[in-house]
Amino acid sequence: MERKLNSIWKKQLLCCVAVFFAGLLAGYLLHNGVPVILGGAVLCVSAVAAERGLRCPSCGESVFKQAMERTSEGGFACPKCKKRMEWR
């Protein structure tokens, strides 16, 4: 039986990566480290939130690593209980 995972976590993390790179560019252009530090902080908080939110519905194991892989678009299996999951 396949379980459904909310794809908002993956989209949210990818958006925060984009914010980090925008901060990196702004910091480079302005010769200021503050946008880079703020972008890095946003990225770290986002990654922690996504890691906590991406859990197997059956056993509660973190599936963050499997969910962020490029091959996860069609679904993937939990590393602990081997139940199949897909995005919704």
Side-chain angles (χ1 to χ4, degrees), residues 10 27 31-33 39 42 50 56 68-69 76-78 86:
K10 192 170 189 174
H31 300 289
N32 190 345
V42 166
C56 175
M68 291 298 140
E69 291 176 356
F76 54 92
C78 174
E86 66 179 31

Side-chain angles (χ1 to χ4, degrees), residues 59-77:
C59 67
E61 180 73 15
S62 174
V63 292
F64 179 75
K65 182 180 173 187
Q66 291 77 14
M68 291 298 140
E69 291 176 356
R70 286 182 183 222
T71 58
S72 72
E73 292 303 321
F76 54 92

Side-chain angles (χ1 to χ4, degrees), residues 1-64:
M1 180 178 182
E2 289 197 0
R3 308 281 184 198
K4 300 274 188 183
L5 285 177
N6 195 345
S7 63
I8 192 73
W9 291 110
K10 192 170 189 174
K11 291 174 186 172
Q12 174 252 339
L13 187 61
L14 293 176
C15 287
C16 287
V17 168
V19 167
F20 171 72
F21 282 116
L24 187 65
L25 179 64
Y28 177 74
L29 294 175
L30 298 173
H31 300 289
N32 190 345
V34 175
V36 177
I37 292 170
L38 291 176
V42 166
L43 184 64
C44 290
V45 169
S46 172
V48 168
E51 196 279 328
R52 290 203 170 264
L54 286 170
R55 301 269 176 191
C56 175
S58 298
C59 67
E61 180 73 15
S62 174
V63 292
F64 179 75

